[in-house]
Amino acid sequence: MTKITILHNPRCSKSRETLALLQARENDINVIEYLKNPPSANEISHILSLLGLNARQLMRTKESEYKDLSLDNVNLTEAQLIEAMVNTPKLIERPIVLVNGKAAIGRPPESVLAIIE
């Protein structure tokens, strides 16, 4: 099996639950604490294409930074929204699991099972 990667925030209960679910099935997991090691714009673009989402759909719109940075402005481009996630990784929905050219958001945690089984 290809190595599983999880973009993880240890302070998030859903992220912890998803990681535990993965660890119960696989022990070769690449855990990336994305708040400490944010993905690049290219990596976020790739994740978006795997998920079939646009940038705003991957953003945590209830975070104060979303409003503070005026990211609710409908005139912002995909590139601008992606750049905001690079600069403020707290805005990225979590957790994201990547394996075998597929991606899933662990909300609920069980949703990642479809790409690892």
Side-chain angles (χ1 to χ4, degrees), residues 53-81:
L53 299 176
N54 65 45
R56 197 174 306 276
Q57 291 172 306
L58 188 62
M59 297 182 93
R60 298 178 57 81
T61 59
K62 292 187 167 76
E63 293 292 341
S64 60
E65 290 84 351
Y66 185 82
K67 298 254 186 298
D68 294 345
L69 297 170
S70 300
L71 296 172
D72 54 349
N73 179 344
V74 296
N75 295 316
L76 293 174
T77 65
E78 282 288 294
Q80 289 170 314
L81 294 172

Side-chain angles (χ1 to χ4, degrees), residues 39-105:
S40 68
N42 284 340
E43 290 167 326
I44 291 174
S45 293
H46 179 68
I47 290 167
L48 288 169
S49 69
L50 293 176
L51 290 169
L53 299 176
N54 65 45
R56 197 174 306 276
Q57 291 172 306
L58 188 62
M59 297 182 93
R60 298 178 57 81
T61 59
K62 292 187 167 76
E63 293 292 341
S64 60
E65 290 84 351
Y66 185 82
K67 298 254 186 298
D68 294 345
L69 297 170
S70 300
L71 296 172
D72 54 349
N73 179 344
V74 296
N75 295 316
L76 293 174
T77 65
E78 282 288 294
Q80 289 170 314
L81 294 172
I82 289 169
E83 194 61 31
M85 287 188 273
V86 170
N87 294 329
T88 311
K90 183 179 180 183
L91 292 167
I92 302 170
E93 187 58 81
R94 61 187 180 252
I96 300 170
V97 174
L98 306 159
V99 65
N100 294 325
K102 298 177 185 172
I105 297 173

Side-chain angles (χ1 to χ4, degrees), residues 14-45:
K14 295 297 181 203
S15 196
R16 290 191 308 270
E17 289 171 28
T18 301
L19 180 58
L21 186 69
L22 294 172
Q23 289 171 328
R25 288 167 170 73
E26 179 67 40
N27 57 13
D28 190 17
I29 301 169
N30 180 28
V31 178
I32 298 173
E33 289 190 32
Y34 70 93
L35 295 178
K36 294 179 183 175
N37 300 298
S40 68
N42 284 340
E43 290 167 326
I44 291 174
S45 293

